Amino acid sequence: MNKFNQLMSSPAGPKTVFFWAPMMKWGLVFAGIADLKKHPEYISIPQSTALALTGFIWARYSTQIIPFNYNLLAVNFFVGLTGVYQLSRKFIYEQSKKNN
């Protein structure tokens, strides 16, 4: 029971925004993963760019705040990765259209 109490009273525990904000943000990662099924023609460059930039900017920010929050760092890093991956899919698709 001691570990449970420790988690509950942690500065980044479930009683704080530092826990719930990253948990909700995982929805962006899951949406990005679901978008991998979409044809690259329908990938939005502005949206993917925004996800990539905000993901990596906020990942950097999450290393500077106290309490240090690994969940916040991880979710923002993966938001950035999904944005970059979608941009690369769009770029490859556009290049293949030019070559055909």
Side-chain angles (χ1 to χ4, degrees):
M1 199 66 172
N2 189 20
K3 289 285 186 187
F4 178 75
N5 289 337
Q6 218 175 4
L7 171 68
M8 292 303 287
S9 62
S10 167
K15 293 181 180 179
T16 69
V17 70
F18 297 110
F19 178 83
W20 291 107
M23 293 304 290
M24 296 299 118
K25 201 167 185 179
W26 279 106
L28 290 175
V29 175
F30 297 136
I33 292 170
D35 282 350
L36 296 178
K37 295 178 183 176
K38 285 186 178 179
H39 192 274
E41 176 182 6
Y42 301 112
I43 294 173
S44 167
I45 292 175
Q47 177 183 342
S48 296
T49 302
L51 285 173
L53 290 175
T54 58
F56 291 130
I57 288 168
W58 285 104
R60 167 70 173 117
Y61 169 76
S62 69
T63 66
Q64 303 303 306
I65 61 170
I66 298 172
F68 189 83
N69 189 331
Y70 290 101
N71 191 18
L72 184 63
L73 174 62
V75 73
N76 283 308
F77 182 74
F78 281 105
V79 166
L81 279 182
T82 56
V84 167
Y85 186 73
Q86 293 290 53
L87 286 171
S88 67
R89 287 182 61 218
K90 182 71 169 185
F91 177 76
I92 291 168
Y93 171 73
E94 293 296 332
Q95 291 300 319
S96 70
K97 275 184 19 180
K98 287 181 185 177
N99 293 336
N100 290 335

